[in-house]
Amino acid sequence: MIFKWPIKTKAAPSPATDAETETTVAVHRGDAIEKATSAPPADALVPLTPLELRRVVDAKSLGFKTTADLAPAGGLIGQDRALRAIEFGMSIRAQGFNLFVMGPPGSGKSTAVRAHLERHASKEKAAADWVYVNNFEDAVRPRALKVPAGRAMALQRGISAAMDELAVTLPAAFIGEDYQMRRRAIEEENRAGHDDAIDVLTRKAAAQNIAVLRTPLGFALAPMHEGRVVKPEVFKQIPESMRREVEGRVASLQKELEAALLKVPKADKLRRKLLAELNEEAAKAAIEAALDEVSRDFSDVPEVGAYLAAAEQDLVRSGPALLPAGESGAGVSKSAFRRYLVNVVVAHGQSAGVPSIEESNPTLGNLVGRVEQASHHGATATDFLMIRPGALHRANGGFLVLDARTALRSPEAWEALKRALKDREIRIEQQPEAPGAGATKVLEPEPIALDLKVVLLGDRDTYFALRASDADFMRLFKVQADFDDTIKRTKENDDAFARIIAAVVLKHKTKPVDAQGVAKLIEESARLAEDSERLSIEVGRLADIVQEADYWAGIDKREVIGRRDIARAIDEHVQRGDRVRDRAQEVFERGIVLVDTEGAKPGQINGLSTVEAGDYAFGRPARITARVHLGQGRITDIEREVALGGPLHAKGVMILWGYLAGRFAQSYPLSLAATLVFEQSYSAVEGDSASAAELFALISALADVPIRQDLAVTGSVNQWGDVQAIDGVNQKVEGFFDVCQARGLTGKQGVIIPRANAQHLMLREDVVESVRDKWFSIYAVSRVDEGLEILTGLKAGEAGSDGQYPKDTINARVDARLRAYADNARSYASRRGEATS
Amino acid sequence: MITHVAEAGEDRGRVLLTLGSSGRLSDVALEAAVRLAQAFHSELESLFVEDLQLYDLARFTFARETSRSGRTTRALLPSVIERDVQLQAAALGRRVLVAATLLDVRARARVVRDEPARALAKACAEKGPWNVVTLGEPFGATDEGALSELFQTVDATTGFVITGPKARRTKGPVVALVEEVERLPSMLRAAERLASVTGGEPRIWLLEDGPDRLAWLDGQIRLSLGLKAAAIKLEAYDMMRSDIGALAASLRQHEAGFVIARIGGRLASADEGSVPIAALLEGPLFLAR
């Protein structure tokens, strides 16, 4: 039986209908082929008009000749909510009100943040400078000093100059005659040193004919005669009483020796104390004179004053030790004064306002600073002068902007950032040394008070991932600014969009764009948004197009960028990234992948899918086939069985079962088994946008009604038979169009899409042109039955009050097949029951 | 007066650095010995003398040794003193060799057991006469007797280098203390050679009693120096109006390094071994015969 009916269109007859005014659909039923002519289709079966396929912009309505006539806009339109959030986040000073600014790349969020930061930062009172200085009581914990804005460098210079002066004046203080005389006096007055004690005892012992000899480890006493130790054998010869008397003298002198030697340290201690006092007195005058100027300059900063007092005290105490031993008068090496120098970690200029810092590589060290180490003779060493600031230091008092994804790349840095925000202080943590490295002094610099606002820039995925996984995140980033990637398409926004293009032209110094060019850009923007009712505000992509068009206009020696330059820039961009699509196209043209674009077959349909290739996506058809047989109620999704189908795809297939069961099997069991497969698909299939096509294939197989192969279908279905919207409708339509065009358009080919997707259509101009010329058609359907009628040429048929479908409708055929399956199943079961009993 | 020092390979003398059982070696004495050898391209020999008296002492049953701090006293046995002395000798010998090597001076170490003066006399006599003896131990007030014995016993030597307890440098001007014009050439030559290795400059200080005699000596010296007189700093020191302490103070003030004087002059009595200035100087005192 052959079903045949003419396709009604609102436009002029298509080339196909010029030659043949009716569409003939071959319906295969077993070996028999019949021809049938169906009733005229309902309104749903009328293809969409060219005007519904692409919302074009009337260049004249824009009201300017070129963008040179326009005032450039800041790149932000339709983002009022996000901008209000940013304004709020930057104004509120309470703890935890840091910002997470989210939006797709190129949505202008960075630009908006920078603009707000500039304004806020310049209004604020200048932030303080910070320096690290030595902690004279505990060198491991360097002190942090807060210095009024713009004065840290002056402090560093002042101290450095003072030390330069001391390198000369300190030694001079110790070579003066006055100092030398007083020093000698102290030494003379306190000569009761070691050698003197021995000398005194030696003389006393000698007077008693006792020798004091130095041994390797100390002193020993022995009887002496004429200046020489008496030999023991000689000593034995003298009377015992004399020997006893000598031994007694030796013992007595030995005791005196011990006593004298024990006194030596005390005397030495007194001498050292007096010399130390003299040294401090000599040094004090030079040190006070050297530090006088810097002390006066910073008399208004108590913290600096306290430090200078500590430095002075330390210099007085240890200054003399800095002098080169044995060469008084020689200059002191500047390195000897290193511990008194100042390490400026943050210095703001005299300019007003708080800092606004963007850190593009927020590693732990780059964020919270680090303590560097120097290698010296194979060992590493460090001190407070090797403390290096991080972005938190530089931004302290102002704003720090970080890319969220980059910040999260280093877990240590992220944790350190949160810790700093929670504790409101910057604590530099020296990294532990590598195993096997020499022992290194670990510094614990005093934490610096932190008062800043962090602005994280990121996408929504990152934001929601952080919300879900990081308990601290919501407490620390309480303000979200959400940038939309598209805006509603209105006359006002079209105008604003044109002013953004004017700003792009100005920024990138390109030729102006004329109204036609802007119109094309608006259309392209709607295509990028995949929605004829919205505009993408991916400014980065638009700027790329304008710059590329500027190049092509230059090649053609035009002073103004026109529509054709914009179009060429878009086409060239597509072509450069088009290799994958070309290869995909080629396999259809060469018949490697089997897709029919003519004729009709039962249980076989053209589905549509999209392929992502970098920043470019394209659609391509895929043959879906269905086979049915008697079974126990199961649809086998072959993609799922071989683990190529994703969960959404599996869900779509399961919905088909719900539809069939709900619509047909109300009075009999669904004794059906079916298989569904994407033919020649060797990669993963995900999404439910092919579920409508799969249902059509299944019904076609059940009804044994052929499906038109010159049509492709996209859309998902629910259990009630509604056809639902899907993503990428433009690419999918264009994908099938390209295959058909390559094989030669017949005028019968087209695509069935969900009605809800009609508003998203922003098809390529060549597709629209082909539709206008009746070479191609786009049908929008809301119900499965509408699609069935277009695909088969048969009426779908609604069940009457008796539950029966009208004769010769598709649904009647399906119902009949399912009833037959149920009967067969019943009789099969009873036969098997008899056999087993 | 002789200030000749045998050159290395001359096989007739060298710089002899004496080391004793006490183990005391002044850093300045060691540097002075090495510099001297360097200045005269001579050889340095350290002579460690194990004082026989120590071994005699150790044989007394009541012999005790008190540590340098005075905190411990122990019985002194011959075996203990022998071991301690030998360890001391080895340590000091190494120290000398290291210091000499640093300045490319040929050096060797020698250990003998004898009385110190006799051991030194023998060592000098072996390679006489151009030996310069540097005393390694700091010179103390009670060492005058020993020094006197050295002056009298050790003939085969052209001089002694002594460092006092205040000694702290060898660098600085090399000052020759000249009392007689005929001593000038050899003293000046020695001063110039020492100055060439210590980085100082040779200077001449004239010592005489009274301004007239000093003026006469000054004239003679200038005549003797001829054209050199303009290049060399000359200072006249009237010993009638001053004393050795003041002279030493002046030398300290000028930060003198080596000071050269003659044995038997007003600063070093050859008979008594009395060299009071040695205890007051901050540099080594080179006493030349």
Side-chain angles (χ1 to χ4, degrees), chain A residues 621-832:
Chain A
R623 174 181 288 177
I624 299 170
T625 59
R627 298 297 299 271
V628 293
H629 55 92
L630 177 64
Q632 293 183 324
R634 182 167 186 263
I635 295 179
T636 302
D637 173 12
I638 291 178
E639 311 302 322
R640 187 184 174 202
E641 295 296 315
V642 297
L644 282 174
L648 293 179
H649 181 256
K651 177 188 170 192
V653 173
M654 288 175 187
I655 286 172
L656 307 186
W657 190 259
Y659 170 79
L660 288 177
R663 181 146 199 187
F664 298 104
Q666 297 302 309
S667 57
Y668 52 88
L670 204 52
S671 304
L672 163 72
T675 51
L676 278 170
V677 67
F678 270 65
E679 302 287 359
Q680 290 183 289
S681 167
Y682 308 107
S683 55
V685 175
E686 179 54 315
D688 64 352
S689 69
S691 61
E694 287 165 331
L695 182 59
F696 293 142
L698 192 58
I699 290 172
S700 159
L702 279 169
D704 198 15
V705 173
I707 284 177
R708 287 175 59 184
Q709 300 298 303
D710 47 16
L711 293 175
V713 176
T714 184
S716 69
V717 291
N718 63 19
Q719 295 192 105
W720 300 100
D722 298 315
V723 179
Q724 302 165 141
I726 43 81
D727 279 341
V729 66
N730 291 300
Q731 289 103 327
K732 286 172 178 169
V733 171
E734 288 163 7
F736 190 65
F737 173 82
D738 289 339
V739 172
C740 294
Q741 190 180 45
R743 291 180 176 178
L745 292 171
T746 62
K748 297 176 186 171
Q749 294 142 331
V751 178
I752 297 173
I753 65 169
R755 169 71 63 190
N757 279 122
Q759 60 192 315
H760 300 136
L761 289 174
M762 274 304 289
L763 291 169
R764 280 191 335 238
E765 286 171 295
D766 58 335
V767 180
V768 177
E769 281 305 307
S770 294
V771 170
R772 183 171 288 122
D773 296 342
K774 310 297 179 197
W775 288 106
F776 201 72
S777 306
I778 315 293
Y779 301 93
V781 299
S782 303
R783 300 275 306 158
V784 168
D785 285 352
E786 293 169 21
L788 281 172
E789 291 181 3
I790 296 169
L791 287 164
T792 63
L794 291 178
K795 294 291 279 182
E798 282 293 332
S801 55
D802 57 353
Q804 297 297 311
Y805 290 93
K807 199 180 171 190
D808 290 336
T809 62
I810 301 169
N811 288 330
R813 286 166 176 257
V814 172
D815 190 45
R817 173 67 67 92
L818 291 175
R819 284 179 190 279
Y821 278 166
D823 292 342
N824 288 343
R826 202 161 31 240
S827 62
Y828 175 73
S830 60
R831 276 202 309 276
R832 199 170 61 168

Side-chain angles (χ1 to χ4, degrees), chain A residues 361-372:
Chain A
N361 184 23
T363 58
L364 179 62
N366 288 352
L367 203 59
V368 298
R370 61 186 176 277
V371 181
E372 291 184 343

